[in-house]
Amino acid sequence: MVQSGQWSVQGRTRMIRGGQTIRFDTLNYRVDDGVALIELNRPARLNAVNSVMSRELPEAWRLFDRDPAAIVAIVTGAGGKAFCTGADLADLPEMITDEAGAPSIASIRWTPHQNHVWKPVICAVNGMVLGGGLHFVAECDIILASDEATFADPHVSVGLVAALEPIALARRMPMGAVLRLALAGNGEKMSAQDAHRLGMVDEICAGEELIERARRLADRIRRNSPSAMAATKKAIWSAKERGLHDASTDGWDAIVAHNQGHDFAEGIKAFGERRPPRWAAYAGTDEPS
């Protein structure tokens, strides 16, 4: 389905855009007025990530990143009962191996951060989140949750190491809260209210209002300079991995570089002329994954 001003890719729907054929079997994807909606669409399996979804998620993030018409994304789950319950143990995601034949961390590329996407992404948690589903909560930019959402990490209860998700969550939350979630396994279920208190979730709203609230936030975000937002997001996330001096130096370099571009001059000119700015299109940075 292709219409003026919007387009969509949904399960078992083929679409050709710019000479490229896209097909998603486990995701719903559409862009409307600058906002991309990426919906995990395996409700019968509680939106668990299987081998197909694990391959399709990087494709969806690449599609979003390279589309100049897509300025901000919302990622959520279909069905309402679960946002994402991690890897599907009945159909595990395929592992990419390194030169020595060992499984590589590059096998897990489910989130915008893991795919080096610097456009803004809102995560709308509309149900339970288990295990690997915490990747999205830890690595999207702004986290909204329904008041009935719950969070748990059952890895250790089934003999698996809980490492990647807690490590990422520790950049948002107090260490003790992360360790409690990771070590208690099935014995610990965190409510949306506790997740908000501890910094995992940025805002709670009624379930029936969740997507509309995310859309209103996305609508505010999409009006800003796409290139300025990308540079801002990259500077902030990168600072989590570097010392203050190096992060500040890199941030200053990003400011100087952006000030040589179109949107810097256009923003100042539009402000002086009291009119909406006409931002340049932005289609990602083609960083290696």
Side-chain angles (χ1 to χ4, degrees):
M1 175 180 177
V2 182
Q3 298 180 358
S4 176
Q6 68 178 43
W7 54 284
S8 68
V9 182
Q10 296 187 342
R12 303 195 179 279
T13 296
R14 300 182 71 86
M15 184 202 71
I16 299 176
R17 189 174 190 271
Q20 185 180 23
T21 301
I22 307 296
R23 174 175 177 167
F24 291 137
D25 290 328
T26 65
L27 306 172
N28 291 334
Y29 183 102
R30 64 178 179 272
V31 177
D32 186 9
D33 202 15
V35 180
L37 180 66
I38 301 173
E39 186 177 55
L40 312 182
N41 188 31
R42 299 188 71 228
R45 296 292 295 173
L46 301 178
N47 297 320
V49 180
N50 68 347
S51 59
V52 178
M53 187 184 288
S54 186
R55 292 193 300 268
E56 291 186 336
L57 279 165
E59 295 177 13
W61 290 121
R62 185 166 57 249
L63 183 64
F64 164 64
D65 194 41
R66 296 180 179 178
D67 182 3
I71 299 169
V72 54
I74 299 167
V75 59
T76 192
K81 185 175 182 180
F83 169 76
C84 179
T85 53
D88 189 337
L89 299 182
D91 181 14
L92 286 170
E94 298 168 356
M95 290 291 104
I96 298 172
T97 56
D98 59 22
E99 293 181 357
S104 168
I105 193 172
S107 303
I108 308 299
R109 293 173 55 208
W110 303 348
T111 71
H113 191 68
Q114 291 163 345
N115 287 277
H116 304 286
V117 173
W118 301 118
K119 292 182 177 182
V121 179
I122 299 166
C123 181
V125 181
N126 57 325
M128 76 174 83
V129 183
L130 300 179
L134 292 167
H135 280 293
F136 297 95
V137 178
E139 297 183 348
C140 290
D141 302 314
I142 303 169
I143 314 301
L144 308 185
S146 75
D147 51 10
E148 296 183 355
T150 58
F151 307 83
D153 189 351
H155 280 100
V156 296
S157 296
V158 293
L160 300 174
V161 174
L164 297 182
E165 301 87 352
I167 288 170
L169 282 173
R171 299 191 295 182
R172 287 185 178 271
M173 303 169 62
M175 183 70 73
V178 174
L179 284 165
R180 176 171 175 166
L181 197 66
L183 299 178
N186 283 331
E188 183 78 6
K189 181 185 291 185
M190 185 178 291
S191 67
Q193 292 73 23
D194 283 343
H196 180 256
R197 177 176 57 83
L198 292 165
M200 180 194 289
V201 168
D202 300 305
E203 182 179 334
I204 301 174
C205 57
E208 63 273 15
E209 299 173 0
L210 178 65
I211 294 300
E212 180 56 32
R213 174 61 185 149
R215 287 185 181 278
R216 289 200 303 271
L217 178 57
D219 187 60
R220 294 204 300 271
I221 291 172
R222 73 171 180 84
R223 300 176 188 276
N224 301 318
S225 162
S227 60
M229 289 194 296
T232 298
K233 170 177 172 174
K234 184 177 182 180
I236 294 170
W237 274 105
S238 298
K240 286 288 189 177
E241 301 175 9
R242 314 197 66 184
L244 177 60
H245 178 269
D246 288 344
S248 297
T249 300
D250 288 349
W252 177 253
D253 290 344
I255 291 169
V256 171
H258 185 266
N259 287 359
Q260 309 306 309
H262 170 275
D263 281 9
F264 174 76
E266 170 62 13
I268 293 175
K269 185 177 181 182
F271 180 81
E273 296 175 357
R274 298 184 179 181
R275 61 168 174 81
R278 294 183 285 270
W279 305 123
Y282 176 78
T285 58
D286 286 327
E287 288 189 23
S289 300

